[in-house]
Amino acid sequence: MSHAPERKEKDCLNCGATVIGRFCHVCGQENIVPKESFGSLVIHFFYDITHFDGKFFYSLKYLLFRPGFLSKEYVRGKRVTYLNPVRMYVFTSAIFFLLFFLLINPKQFFNTNINDPLTQKERTEFLKEFEKEYKKQESDTTFLVSQMQKLKDTTKRLTREDLSGGTGSFVFNGQKKYKTVAEYNSAQKKLDPSQRDGFFMRTLQKKQIKLSQKYAGKSDRVLDDMSEIFLHKLPYLLFISLPFFALFLKLSYVRRKQFYYADHAIFAIHHYVFSFIILLFIFLLGSIRTKPGLQWLLNLEVALIVLWPVYLYLAMLNFYKQNWFKTFIKFILLNILGSLSLLLLFIIFLFLSIFEL
């Protein structure tokens, strides 16, 4: 409630209803004079900030130490006391990704060791793969032959970069490395229709050619740029995965008719908020323990990693109120489905990142 004087008129300036008391019973707006001083604006600002912080930390206490409690309270209708789950998700994810991008170096995210020399075992494995492709090829095999010669010459240092031809990636399906899209299209037209690449492979081949032209001699930049793009897509990936997580909960508890999809979504949101918090602590500990004398923090990291699934199990147990065995089976099923959906989204977003290069 503000400290501005109350209006003498009893018509709500927002909806026009007759006001009884200081607040409108229809829309909830306070019936105060509309002219505000700068001081009152400042007071409103600090009130809203402290009010939000107060609700956040009050809700956070129950979120961390009473798994499933906040979701249960929200479903019961007790909502003013605690911070709205969506606002809590937005605030927590914003803080998480802000610190995440400060702590994580995109260049280290995809560690492919592209410039490390191949071991003898790796040379042998690559040689076998190229020989298989060589036997399949009916057209120009010049590129494959040159690569096999490189692999057989053990007197020279050889890296994945050398095998990629300076593009930072291997040729798809063991095919010849084309220099231009026109050259690739011409080669495809010469083939029998049944032997031509499908839509997906054509798209990949053309993208590889464009990347070869764009990053010629700069293969390290391919992974750097792709990592940068992919990491900045992570917030969207997790946000899209949330309704799938809620759907898996709905399917797991399909016989519990008292729970609507929205109830499962609230539970999922609270779990994601907890996940952001615990992951943030794991990343922070990981960055701190690299300093001398702090290696013991690894034990705390492991403890938090173990706590993560345990928390989800306890939250399911407390929220859905089923016995421990049924909850455990559904917990396992939920983790399998959730992992598969995240893997699928990861692959999709990874390809999107490649095609944005």
Side-chain angles (χ1 to χ4, degrees):
M1 184 177 71
S2 69
H3 298 287
E6 186 178 347
R7 292 175 66 240
K8 294 180 180 179
E9 297 81 8
K10 295 300 179 182
D11 60 312
C12 178
L13 293 175
N14 183 56
C15 67
T18 301
V19 181
I20 302 173
R22 191 176 178 89
F23 294 89
C24 175
H25 69 286
V26 177
C27 67
Q29 178 166 294
E30 194 174 5
N31 189 33
I32 56 175
V33 293
K35 302 294 184 182
E36 288 191 272
S37 64
F38 178 76
S40 65
L41 286 175
V42 174
I43 292 172
H44 265 300
F45 172 77
F46 281 105
Y47 173 77
D48 289 340
I49 292 295
T50 54
H51 184 63
F52 175 83
D53 285 348
K55 272 194 172 184
F56 175 78
F57 289 111
Y58 182 74
S59 304
L60 185 63
K61 176 181 66 175
Y62 289 103
L63 178 75
L64 295 178
F65 300 107
R66 296 187 65 178
F69 176 79
L70 276 185
S71 304
K72 188 163 55 178
E73 290 284 274
Y74 189 91
V75 170
R76 285 177 177 174
K78 194 171 182 179
R79 301 174 183 181
V80 176
T81 306
Y82 311 101
L83 186 63
N84 181 274
V86 175
R87 291 183 69 191
M88 197 173 192
Y89 175 90
V90 172
F91 178 74
T92 309
S93 62
I95 297 297
F96 170 78
F97 283 109
L98 177 65
L99 294 175
F100 175 79
F101 290 123
L102 290 174
L103 295 171
I104 299 298
N105 183 0
K107 293 182 180 181
Q108 298 174 346
F109 192 74
F110 290 100
N111 183 19
T112 59
N113 301 319
I114 193 168
N115 290 311
D116 290 349
L118 294 175
T119 63
Q120 185 57 47
K121 182 180 178 181
E122 288 171 332
R123 280 175 177 263
T124 304
E125 290 174 353
F126 280 124
L127 185 59
K128 287 180 180 178
E129 290 298 321
F130 278 110
E131 286 175 344
K132 286 181 183 178
E133 293 299 330
Y134 177 79
K135 292 177 182 178
K136 295 178 184 178
Q137 291 294 325
E138 296 179 2
S139 56
D140 189 359
T141 57
T142 306
F143 177 73
L144 288 171
V145 171
S146 66
Q147 299 300 76
M148 286 190 289
Q149 288 175 346
K150 289 180 183 178
L151 289 165
K152 290 177 181 177
D153 187 0
T154 57
T155 61
K156 294 182 180 179
R157 181 180 183 273
L158 189 66
T159 66
R160 289 176 174 81
E161 165 73 0
D162 300 323
L163 289 179
S164 68
T167 65
S169 58
F170 292 105
V171 289
F172 298 110
N173 201 29
Q175 295 185 6
K176 174 186 174 182
K177 177 179 173 292
Y178 299 96
K179 293 181 179 179
T180 64
V181 173
E183 183 185 347
Y184 171 71
N185 289 335
S186 177
Q188 286 291 298
K189 288 179 181 179
K190 294 177 182 177
L191 297 174
D192 185 87
S194 61
Q195 295 179 328
R196 293 174 187 172
D197 293 336
F199 172 78
F200 183 68
M201 187 55 66
R202 286 200 309 272
T203 305
L204 288 179
Q205 287 285 0
K206 290 178 181 179
K207 186 61 183 178
Q208 185 195 37
I209 293 168
K210 291 176 181 178
L211 289 178
S212 299
Q213 295 170 340
K214 182 178 179 180
Y215 292 98
K218 304 174 184 176
S219 60
D220 55 331
R221 281 188 53 200
V222 178
L223 296 176
D224 291 348
D225 291 352
M226 187 176 70
S227 301
E228 189 78 32
I229 295 170
F230 180 79
L231 284 179
H232 283 87
K233 287 185 180 295
L234 275 180
Y236 305 103
L237 188 156
L238 292 175
F239 182 75
I240 292 173
S241 72
L242 201 154
F244 287 102
F245 190 83
L247 176 62
F248 299 146
L249 283 168
K250 175 68 176 175
L251 295 174
S252 299
Y253 292 95
V254 67
R255 293 185 179 181
R256 306 296 296 274
K257 303 299 182 184
Q258 70 270 35
F259 293 107
Y260 295 95
Y261 178 79
D263 300 331
H264 300 295
I266 294 300
F267 180 90
I269 289 172
H270 282 138
H271 176 65
Y272 271 52
V273 171
F274 176 81
S275 299
F276 284 137
I277 294 170
I278 201 165
L279 280 172
L280 187 57
F281 276 106
I282 290 171
F283 288 139
L284 286 171
L285 289 171
S287 62
I288 294 172
R289 69 175 172 82
T290 55
K291 298 179 180 179
L294 295 177
Q295 286 75 19
W296 61 270
L297 289 174
L298 177 62
N299 298 325
L300 190 53
E301 278 186 72
V302 173
L304 289 176
I305 293 171
V306 173
L307 176 64
W308 194 4
V310 172
Y311 177 93
L312 176 59
Y313 173 74
L314 294 175
M316 292 173 66
L317 201 63
N318 294 333
F319 181 72
Y320 293 104
K321 296 297 182 182
Q322 282 193 326
N323 66 62
W324 68 269
F325 182 74
K326 284 185 177 180
T327 302
F328 182 74
I329 297 299
K330 292 177 180 181
F331 165 79
I332 297 296
L333 179 63
L334 179 65
N335 277 277
I336 293 172
L337 293 174
S339 299
L340 290 174
S341 65
L342 279 175
L343 178 61
L344 178 61
L345 287 172
F346 184 93
I347 294 171
I348 292 172
F349 274 78
L350 188 60
F351 271 101
L352 289 175
S353 301
I354 293 173
F355 281 95
E356 282 189 26
L357 287 173

